[in-house]
Amino acid sequence: MAGNILAKSKESFDAPRPKFSDLLADPNIKKRWEKVRKYFFLRESTYDMTNRCNIRCDGCYYYEGDKQFAVENLNPEDWRKLMQAEKARGITYVVLAGAEPSLVPELLEVCYNEMPLGSIATNGFKKIPESVGYKIHISLWGNDETSWRVRKAKNLLKKQIENYQGDDRAVFVYTFTRENIDEVEEVTSQLVAHNCKLTFNVFSSPVGYHGPLRHDSQSLVRTRKTMIELLGRYPKNVLFSAYNAVAHTHEKGLHDLYSCSYPRCNPSQDIGLGRSFRQYRTDLNWDRSVACCVPDTDCPDCRHYAAGSAVVTARLYRHVGDADTFKSWLDYVDTYLAVWVMGYEKGENLCRSVIEPPQAK
Ligand code: SF4
Ligand code: SF4
C-alpha cells in the first residue's frame, strides 16, 4: 500500500525527458492524473491483530520469524490509544493483517472508529461485521481442491462468496503460485458469475521456503500471460492493468526493479516509507529493522501485490520518460486505489502495451 507517492528520489536518467506539462497535454492523461493525485495524502502502517488463524496454509509468511510469538494485546483501550497516536504522527491509512483479523471483530471496530481509511487481509472464512467499513481483501490460493490440499480448508471459495457477494468492501485476491496457474480461470469465472471483484497477487516465498509454490522463470511467463488474458476477458471484474502484470511477473523481483522503500530494505529515515512506516505486532511493539508490509518474505523473491502498491507507486519520477510509460504508471496507481480505498472506482486502463519497467542509472 502506498506510503508516500511523491517521495522525490535522487535517481538520475540517461535519456532526455519530456516536460511534465507536455505529458499532461493529453486530456485523458490529465484527467487520470487529477483523479489519482487526490490520494497522495495516504500514509500507511500495518498491524498484526491476533496470532491465531482458523486455517493453516503451506507457505504462510505470518508463521515465519519472530512475529508469530508476540503475545496478543486484546485490550480495546490500548488499541484505541495506539490508533490515536498513529494519527498524531501522520498515519492516515491502516492495513490490518496477521494472522486472521476476523477473529477479533471488536478490535477492528475500535480501529475503524479512530482511523476510517484502511483495509483488512482475511481468508474470508468468517464474515467481518458490516459496521467495519474498510476494504476487505479475501485471499484465494486456487480452486477448492487446492485450498483443501494447501490450506486444509473445505469448500473455501463457496464460503467466501457466500460471505462477501454483493459487499462493496470485498476484493478477492488470487495468489498465483507455480502450481495453480491453470486453476485461475475456473475460480475467476465463479467469481464473475457472482459479480465479485478480484485482483491478482504473486506468491512471494517466505525466507527459507523452497517448496513447490515458489515461482520459476517459466511459471512467471505463464502467470503474466494468464493475467493479461483474464484482464481482457473480464475488464469490469478484474482490477488490474498490463503494467501490474509486468511489474509482478518480471524475472527480477520488486526490490531489484524499483528499489524497495520499506524500512527493512531502506536505511534512510528522511522521507516516505523509510520515515513513517511501522509494522506493529500483536503486542503493539514494532522493530524498524524487520518492518515491511510482508515481513519475513524473501526480498529477492518479493512480487507481492501489497509491496508493489507502495514500491511501484513511489517511483513516479522514473515513469515520466514517455507517454506510454506514464500511462502505465497511472494505470498501476488507479488499480491500487481501486483495490485499497473504499469508494474509489477503477477507470478504463490507459495503456494496453506491455512496457519494460524503466531503470534508474
Ligand atoms: S489464512 Fe493467512 S494467516 Fe492464516 S495460515 Fe493462511 S496465509 Fe497464514
Ligand atoms: S519483502 Fe518485499 S516489501 Fe518487504 S522489504 Fe523485502 S522487497 Fe520490500
Side-chain angles (χ1 to χ4, degrees):
M1 179 55 205
N4 184 351
I5 291 179
L6 283 183
K8 199 162 185 166
S9 61
K10 297 189 182 90
E11 296 172 336
S12 57
F13 302 88
D14 284 329
R17 296 152 73 74
K19 278 202 225 137
F20 196 57
S21 55
D22 291 344
L23 288 172
L24 297 185
D26 176 332
N28 285 334
I29 296 184
K30 181 155 180 13
K31 197 168 161 207
R32 188 60 54 82
W33 167 251
E34 295 299 340
K35 183 184 175 201
V36 304
R37 70 188 292 218
K38 294 194 188 96
Y39 292 86
F40 288 2
F41 70 91
L42 295 174
R43 297 276 178 287
E44 66 151 325
S45 275
T46 69
Y47 309 82
D48 287 342
M49 305 303 294
T50 166
N51 53 28
R52 288 163 283 149
C53 189
N54 44 5
I55 57 178
R56 189 56 65 98
C57 312
D58 188 16
C60 168
Y61 71 80
Y62 182 79
Y63 292 107
E64 279 299 324
D66 291 345
K67 61 189 179 304
Q68 61 181 307
F69 304 114
V71 291
E72 290 182 339
N73 185 330
L74 298 173
N75 183 338
E77 274 319 299
D78 288 347
W79 278 91
R80 191 182 317 281
K81 281 188 204 137
L82 173 66
M83 288 294 128
Q84 288 167 348
E86 290 291 273
K87 231 184 325 189
R89 71 178 187 88
I91 296 303
T92 54
Y93 188 101
V94 293
V95 181
L96 309 183
E100 179 44 53
S102 65
L103 302 182
V104 286
E106 60 293 342
L107 298 184
L108 304 180
E109 295 264 7
V110 167
C111 295
Y112 180 64
N113 289 335
E114 293 297 332
M115 195 82 87
L117 284 173
S119 54
I120 300 174
T122 177
N123 58 40
F125 216 77
K126 181 172 187 280
K127 184 164 179 168
I128 292 167
E130 279 165 19
S131 51
V132 179
Y134 288 138
K135 273 286 183 198
I136 296 184
H137 293 181
I138 302 141
S139 61
L140 294 163
W141 290 44
N143 62 18
D144 272 352
E145 204 181 305
T146 297
S147 292
W148 171 240
R149 188 166 44 82
V150 177
R151 314 186 77 178
K152 298 288 168 286
K154 242 189 185 153
N155 301 325
L156 185 57
L157 182 59
K158 185 167 171 274
K159 186 79 190 146
Q160 291 167 323
I161 291 174
E162 262 168 34
N163 281 341
Y164 287 107
Q165 180 177 11
D167 191 327
D168 285 345
R169 301 174 300 170
V171 177
F172 290 77
V173 181
Y174 189 93
T175 295
F176 281 86
T177 69
R178 196 169 81 211
E179 290 194 322
N180 70 5
I181 301 167
D182 296 332
E183 295 166 32
V184 69
E185 291 224 18
E186 157 193 356
V187 172
T188 303
S189 64
Q190 284 186 62
L191 290 170
V192 171
H194 291 88
N195 203 21
C196 299
K197 295 266 179 4
L198 74 150
T199 193
F200 299 134
N201 183 27
V202 175
F203 180 75
S204 305
S205 304
V207 174
Y209 177 88
H210 296 283
L213 307 182
R214 192 178 180 111
H215 280 281
D216 58 24
S217 45
Q218 283 184 345
S219 67
L220 289 170
V221 170
R222 284 180 58 220
T223 297
R224 179 183 296 191
K225 190 166 167 282
T226 308
M227 286 171 163
I228 291 176
E229 270 171 23
L230 288 171
L231 173 62
R233 206 178 316 157
Y234 304 113
K236 288 203 161 50
N237 297 76
V238 174
L239 303 174
F240 219 60
S241 74
Y243 194 50
N244 283 72
V246 167
H248 290 268
T249 59
H250 201 280
E251 183 116 38
K252 289 183 180 169
L254 290 167
H255 182 47
D256 285 342
L257 279 179
Y258 301 101
S259 183
C260 173
S261 33
Y262 280 103
R264 197 176 143 208
C265 264
N266 171 15
S268 166
Q269 298 192 37
D270 297 343
I271 53 167
L273 287 171
R275 183 178 62 78
S276 61
F277 180 85
R278 292 181 184 173
Q279 196 268 320
Y280 286 88
R281 297 170 175 197
T282 52
D283 58 6
L284 311 191
N285 289 314
W286 67 286
D287 174 354
R288 189 181 192 281
S289 66
V290 293
C292 85
C293 62
V294 280
D296 298 300
T297 296
D298 186 16
C299 291
D301 197 49
C302 177
R303 297 180 180 81
H304 201 276
Y305 81 114
S309 65
V311 174
V312 182
T313 53
R315 297 295 172 217
L316 163 64
Y317 292 96
R318 205 184 272 203
H319 289 85
V320 294
D322 62 78
D324 266 359
T325 305
F326 186 47
K327 284 196 264 184
S328 297
W329 182 86
L330 286 171
D331 287 341
Y332 193 100
V333 179
D334 191 50
T335 300
Y336 106 76
L337 289 170
V339 168
W340 294 87
V341 177
M342 273 305 281
Y344 186 95
E345 291 292 330
K346 170 113 180 70
E348 200 175 316
N349 285 318
L350 300 173
C351 183
R352 289 177 189 199
S353 316
V354 167
I355 63 150
E356 186 60 18
Q359 299 293 296
K361 251 202 311 194

